[in-house]
Amino acid sequence: QQTGDLARMTAEPDLDTLLAQSRRRARLGLWRRNTSDWVLFLAGAGLILWGVFAGAQAMRYNWQWYRIPDYFWREIDGEIIWGPFVRGLLVTLEITLWGALLAFAIGLAVALLRLSRSWAGHALATAYLELIRNTPLLVQMYLFYFVLSPILGIDRFWTGVLALAVFEASFISEILRSGILSVPPAQWEAASSLGMRGYATYRKVVLPQAVPLMLPPLTSSLVNLVKSSAIVSTIAIFDLTNEGRTVIADTFMTFEVWLTVAAIYLVLTISLSAVASWLERRARRHTDP
């Protein structure tokens, strides 16, 4: 009998061995998936770059990348002079900051109107959403600039900010409303049974559960706001896109300038996504039991 038990113990792997084998298989599968993803990414990026350079070569384009750093900054007599790319980026960041704040405020107001029991408020918010989301942003920008701007007496910078905020708020309002509605009714009832009302219910019960769900789509809206801010160049605001257009007019470096501008936008949006992912993980860590 002892010999039989020893034979079974030798033939059958123990639990630790099985767990170690499972971990190795999982790591191998993850490595293979990551490798295939990187191969696909590099192949796609290489194909795009090949298309750009092949097109430039067919046009006999003269690359002048060595001139691009001068349009970020120059050092003259020991003083740093910021170039058009940096100046345009600062304007884009300012537009994004103010646009995001106004869009969140407008979106929150619209979401609360949609959630309210007032039929007039609900109808007004619905009409706003249908009007803004079903008309092009460029048309709205021109309406704000040529119609509302003279009436309100605001300059072109705030006209662009307001147009972007009103447009993006139509999406943010639905994100906020969906996040609030995602909280189970039992949570509202529990808060009410504890004597919580209004602000206390939102602050202590609803928002801690809804915020982690709202962060990813809100990040997408913020990234979309950064990209949509390029449209303010149509009303002569010297943001990053308009500064790039000015550099092209002066130097005829079309490929270099637009690739540089695209890279700056890409770095900006990826950075925002990384910050939002960190905030989402932090919020989930605080809300998970």
Side-chain angles (χ1 to χ4, degrees):
Q1 184 179 359
Q2 292 179 354
T3 304
D5 293 339
L6 181 60
R8 282 195 300 271
M9 292 174 62
T10 306
E12 297 178 1
D14 58 4
L15 181 59
D16 293 337
T17 303
L18 292 175
L19 289 175
Q21 292 175 353
S22 177
R23 293 193 192 99
R24 283 196 296 269
R25 285 194 296 267
R27 285 196 296 268
L28 181 60
L30 180 61
W31 181 83
R32 287 176 177 173
R33 286 195 299 271
N34 290 338
T35 302
S36 61
D37 289 341
W38 274 108
V39 169
L40 290 174
F41 172 77
L42 293 175
L47 184 62
I48 294 173
L49 291 176
W50 175 83
V52 171
F53 283 96
Q57 187 176 5
M59 296 169 55
R60 300 183 182 276
Y61 187 78
N62 181 28
W63 294 95
Q64 303 178 63
W65 283 107
Y66 65 92
R67 299 177 59 186
I68 290 297
D70 290 338
Y71 293 95
F72 283 95
W73 70 80
R74 296 181 183 180
E75 186 175 351
I76 301 176
D77 296 331
E79 181 182 0
I80 295 179
I81 307 298
W82 298 114
F85 287 150
V86 175
R87 294 197 303 266
L89 177 60
L90 293 177
V91 173
T92 295
L93 291 174
E94 188 177 1
I95 290 172
T96 301
L97 175 62
W98 288 111
L101 292 176
L102 285 175
F104 186 83
I106 297 172
L108 180 60
V110 173
L112 293 177
L113 286 176
R114 291 262 288 168
L115 292 170
S116 68
R117 298 179 180 178
S118 170
W119 67 268
H122 189 277
L124 184 63
T126 303
Y128 158 78
L129 291 175
E130 295 298 327
L131 177 64
I132 298 299
R133 296 177 68 173
N134 292 289
T135 54
L137 176 57
L138 181 60
V139 174
Q140 296 175 27
M141 185 67 67
Y142 284 143
L143 286 174
F144 272 82
Y145 184 65
F146 291 109
V147 179
L148 290 181
S149 177
I151 296 174
L152 300 177
I154 56 178
D155 60 16
R156 65 186 62 192
F157 176 85
W158 288 107
T159 300
V161 169
L162 187 60
L164 288 172
V166 169
F167 179 77
E168 201 60 40
S170 62
F171 300 95
I172 291 178
S173 66
E174 290 300 283
I175 294 172
L176 297 176
R177 188 176 71 92
S178 302
I180 293 173
L181 291 177
S182 66
V183 178
Q187 299 292 318
W188 296 83
E189 296 170 0
S192 178
S193 66
L194 293 174
M196 293 185 183
R197 293 292 182 270
Y199 175 75
T201 301
Y202 276 96
R203 184 173 65 87
K204 296 183 178 180
V205 178
V206 177
L207 290 181
Q209 300 179 66
V211 166
L213 300 176
M214 293 189 292
L215 276 178
L218 284 176
T219 304
S220 299
S221 294
L222 182 58
V223 170
N224 188 57
L225 180 61
V226 173
K227 295 183 293 185
S228 299
S229 66
I231 206 168
V232 301
S233 61
T234 59
I235 58 174
I237 296 177
F238 283 89
D239 67 325
L240 181 58
T241 301
N242 211 358
E243 292 285 5
R245 188 182 302 168
T246 302
V247 173
I248 291 173
D250 293 337
T251 63
F252 298 100
M253 296 190 301
T254 306
F255 283 86
E256 295 94 334
V257 171
W258 285 132
L259 288 174
T260 302
V261 169
I264 294 173
Y265 276 114
L266 183 62
V267 170
L268 183 58
T269 54
I270 289 177
S271 301
L272 289 174
S273 299
V275 171
S277 298
W278 177 79
L279 290 174
E280 181 185 0
R281 290 194 300 270
R282 185 180 178 86
R284 288 187 181 278
R285 190 163 57 245
H286 285 294
T287 55
D288 289 340

